[in-house]
């Protein structure tokens, strides 16, 4: 029921894009953000009308929020790790030869910025290109903690808050794989319109999105399980969405970029998170924190967690 509701609502929300101008629609971002809340709606339907657990907030991964030190630590990791993953994909892609990079001169970023300014009637850069690049890092922080966080939570309550713990009895590999396939296929209404992988055949774009969702979802899942709640995963998702586009800072001018091969959306960008997920599973770290019965508070949430 969860998968049917999440997928059905996603297609329903995206239907106006299919009937209209697709990715070129002026309302594309509105529909895309609205689609991000469909997994939470699906989780709410299942929790409130099917399972009806006593502690619904716990079933959705919203609690516990203690111990505070653990929560803060995994929130910090939720910000840092996606940034590292997104930026690590760039030199790796450049080394392999699929990412046309200019790390020193920022020539591509300069070219894009000058073109944008020219469209606004401005003839020269208002400040050095390095300063403009630094401002993009500030935008990353703003996007991660403010602009993207609520929509990312709209997805994470469903995917990692509710779904992932339900799949864990099958084992970590199956839980990571199945949740990745479900999450990747859920993106189909936008991917088949050309989102993320423009110019790529639809079937191949879907497979690429499943692979990306599996490796990145594995990282988000670890943050959710070890952090004790969905909040670290939500921040990681928000940060990932903000950091994934910053490859424009380091691309070479007049270059052609294939997102199927380069940046974090391409196969060279999956290497680092895939290695991290394998490492975590083999070390037994892909399992939820546990709490002794004596530490359960009046609201059903543990007052203390242990590894």
């Amino acid at each position: 029921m969860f998968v049917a509701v999440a997928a059905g609502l996603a297609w329903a929300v995206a239907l106006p894009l299919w009937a209209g101008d697709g990715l070129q629609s002026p309302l594309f971002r509105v529909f895309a953000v609205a689609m991000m809340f469909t997994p939470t709606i699906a989780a709410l339907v299942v929790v409130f009308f099917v399972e009806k657990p006593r502690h619904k907030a716990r079933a959705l991964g919203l609690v516990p929020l203690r111990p505070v030190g653990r929560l803060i630590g995994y929130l910090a990791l939720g910000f840092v790790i996606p940034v590292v993953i997104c930026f690590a994909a760039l030199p790796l892609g450049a080394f392999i030869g699929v990412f046309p990079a200019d790390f020193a001169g920022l020539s591509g970023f300069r070219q894009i910025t000058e073109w944008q300014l020219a469209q606004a009637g401005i003839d020269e850069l208002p400040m050095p290109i390095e300063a403009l690049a630094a401002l993009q890092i500030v935008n990353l922080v703003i996007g991660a903690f403010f602009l993207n966080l609520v929509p990312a939570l709209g997805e994470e309550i469903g995917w990692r808050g509710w779904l992932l713990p339900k799949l864990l009895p099958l084992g970590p590999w199956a839980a990571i794989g199945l949740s990745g396939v479900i999450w990747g296929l859920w993106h189909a209404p936008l991917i088949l319109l050309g989102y993320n992988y423009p110019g790529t055949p639809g079937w191949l774009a879907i497979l690429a999105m499943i692979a990306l969702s599996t490796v990145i979802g594995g990282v988000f899942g670890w943050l959710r399980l070890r952090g004790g709640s969905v909040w670290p995963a939500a921040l990681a998702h928000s940060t990932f969405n903000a950091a994934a586009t910053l490859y424009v800072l380091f691309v070479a001018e007049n270059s052609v970029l294939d997102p199927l091969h380069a940046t974090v959306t391409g196969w060279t960008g999956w290497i680092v998170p895939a290695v991290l997920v394998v490492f975590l599973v083999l070390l037994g770290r892909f399992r939820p924190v546990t709490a002794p019965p004596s530490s359960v508070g009046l609201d059903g949430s543990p007052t203390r967690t242990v590894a």
Side-chain angles (χ1 to χ4, degrees):
M1 180 176 290
F2 169 82
V3 173
V5 172
L9 288 178
W11 276 101
V13 170
L15 188 59
L17 297 176
W18 280 81
D21 297 327
L23 302 185
Q24 305 305 315
S25 169
L27 295 177
F28 167 75
R29 188 170 298 276
V30 174
F31 287 112
V33 170
M35 182 175 155
M36 294 178 73
F37 290 94
T38 60
T40 287
I41 296 174
L44 291 172
V45 168
V46 173
V47 167
F48 279 87
F49 299 104
V50 180
E51 294 181 326
K52 301 178 181 179
R54 179 181 177 186
H55 301 294
K56 295 178 175 59
R58 176 181 289 276
L60 294 168
L62 296 173
V63 295
L65 301 179
R66 293 174 288 182
V68 175
R70 177 185 291 275
L71 176 62
I72 293 175
Y74 278 93
L75 284 172
L77 290 173
F79 176 75
V80 172
I81 291 178
V83 174
V84 171
I85 288 173
C86 289
F87 279 99
L90 306 183
L92 184 58
F95 175 77
I96 294 174
V98 296
F99 178 68
D102 182 3
F103 295 112
L106 309 181
S107 59
F109 180 56
R110 177 186 294 274
Q111 184 180 44
I112 294 170
T113 303
E114 289 178 344
W115 179 85
Q116 292 174 336
L117 291 175
Q119 298 302 304
I122 302 174
D123 296 330
E124 58 183 28
L125 297 177
M127 61 183 71
I129 194 64
E130 293 81 7
L132 290 173
L135 288 178
Q136 300 307 307
I137 305 301
V138 175
N139 289 337
L140 164 64
V141 176
I142 295 173
F145 286 93
F146 299 101
L147 300 180
N148 299 335
L149 187 56
V150 172
L153 183 63
E155 284 198 47
E156 289 305 312
I157 289 176
W159 304 132
R160 258 62 64 176
W162 184 86
L163 178 63
L164 182 63
K166 295 295 180 182
L167 297 176
L168 274 181
L170 300 176
W173 296 115
I176 294 170
L178 284 174
S179 62
V181 169
I182 293 170
W183 188 26
L185 288 175
W186 172 85
H187 288 89
L190 300 184
I191 298 299
L192 292 175
L193 286 173
Y195 188 69
N196 272 359
Y197 301 100
T200 302
W203 65 270
L204 184 56
I206 291 292
L207 289 179
M209 195 65 209
I210 289 174
L212 173 62
S213 299
T214 300
V215 295
I216 295 299
V219 176
F220 294 173
W222 166 69
L223 291 168
R224 184 267 187 266
L225 296 175
R226 303 305 295 178
S229 67
V230 74
W231 298 101
L235 180 57
H237 192 154
S238 178
T239 304
F240 180 82
N241 286 352
T245 60
L246 291 185
Y247 68 86
V248 297
L249 296 178
F250 304 109
V251 70
E253 62 179 332
N254 299 321
S255 58
V256 177
L257 185 69
D258 188 346
L260 190 64
H261 300 286
T263 79
V264 76
T265 63
W267 63 267
T268 54
W270 308 337
I271 297 173
V272 171
V275 170
L276 176 59
V277 170
V278 170
F279 180 76
L280 292 170
V281 173
L282 292 180
L283 287 182
R285 307 302 293 177
F286 201 87
R287 54 186 175 84
V289 292
T290 57
S294 60
S295 67
V296 175
L298 295 178
D299 62 350
S301 62
T303 59
R304 178 174 65 89
T305 56
V306 295

